[in-house]
Amino acid sequence: MTRRSITDDEGVSNLLQYVYISGVLIVLLVITMFAVNAAFMEGPANKLKYHAYVDIGNGLSTRIVDVYMIAPDNGTIATEFDIPDDVAEQDYMVELDGSGGDQVVAIYRDDIRSSISIAGIGVTMGVTGNTTSGGINRIVYNSSGV
């Protein structure tokens, strides 16, 4: 039986081989984690946010039309309501825009945006304003336009 002696060069070579292979595998793991996050987590979360914004916009549009339907000829009417404080654990903005001939409730955060037309009142009544998702929100109608 012959005995083989291990030299210092072979020990360093084995160590470097282990470090190189481990480094390549860690880089591949990191790339895979980013790809999985984008494909399986961000995509469905963004779809959830968009559909939640559509539902919230439809609810706001309905509330605005309801206030319009019972608005007095002379006087003021106000209503308070609550919308969800967050969607997918993030707050959002709500803007009411009556410019451009179409009255729109726009709900957005970052690059996800939902625009819902305010059906039923057309351009007969100007609707403007904005709010955030937190707290109690108000719709106010004043016949004098103030």
Side-chain angles (χ1 to χ4, degrees), residues 86-131:
D86 60 5
V87 172
E89 298 183 359
Q90 293 182 335
D91 57 346
Y92 53 90
M93 291 292 298
V94 177
E95 286 185 357
L96 304 168
D97 186 17
S99 64
D102 190 23
Q103 309 236 9
V104 174
V105 176
I107 302 174
Y108 62 91
R109 173 163 178 110
D110 299 330
D111 60 341
I112 301 169
R113 184 178 187 89
S114 171
S115 296
I116 308 296
S117 294
I118 301 175
I121 61 174
V123 292
T124 60
M125 174 183 279
V127 176
T128 59
N130 58 34
T131 186

Side-chain angles (χ1 to χ4, degrees), residues 17-38:
Q17 182 181 12
Y18 176 76
V19 169
Y20 290 152
I21 290 173
S22 297
V24 168
L25 291 176
I26 288 174
V27 168
L28 291 175
L29 178 67
V30 168
I31 291 171
T32 303
M33 292 301 291
F34 284 127
V36 166
N37 184 37

Side-chain angles (χ1 to χ4, degrees), residues 1-18:
M1 197 184 300
T2 60
R3 190 163 179 196
R4 183 177 160 205
S5 64
I6 299 176
T7 63
D8 290 340
D9 291 341
E10 289 179 33
V12 171
S13 176
N14 287 338
L15 177 66
L16 288 177
Q17 182 181 12
Y18 176 76

Side-chain angles (χ1 to χ4, degrees), residues 17-79:
Q17 182 181 12
Y18 176 76
V19 169
Y20 290 152
I21 290 173
S22 297
V24 168
L25 291 176
I26 288 174
V27 168
L28 291 175
L29 178 67
V30 168
I31 291 171
T32 303
M33 292 301 291
F34 284 127
V36 166
N37 184 37
F40 294 119
M41 295 176 79
E42 288 180 16
N46 289 344
K47 187 177 271 192
L48 167 85
K49 288 179 196 175
Y50 174 77
H51 289 291
Y53 292 168
V54 168
D55 290 342
I56 294 166
N58 285 331
L60 287 174
S61 174
T62 302
R63 287 181 180 101
I64 292 169
V65 171
D66 289 347
V67 168
Y68 172 73
M69 296 302 292
I70 62 172
D73 291 334
N74 292 316
T76 301
I77 186 171
T79 182

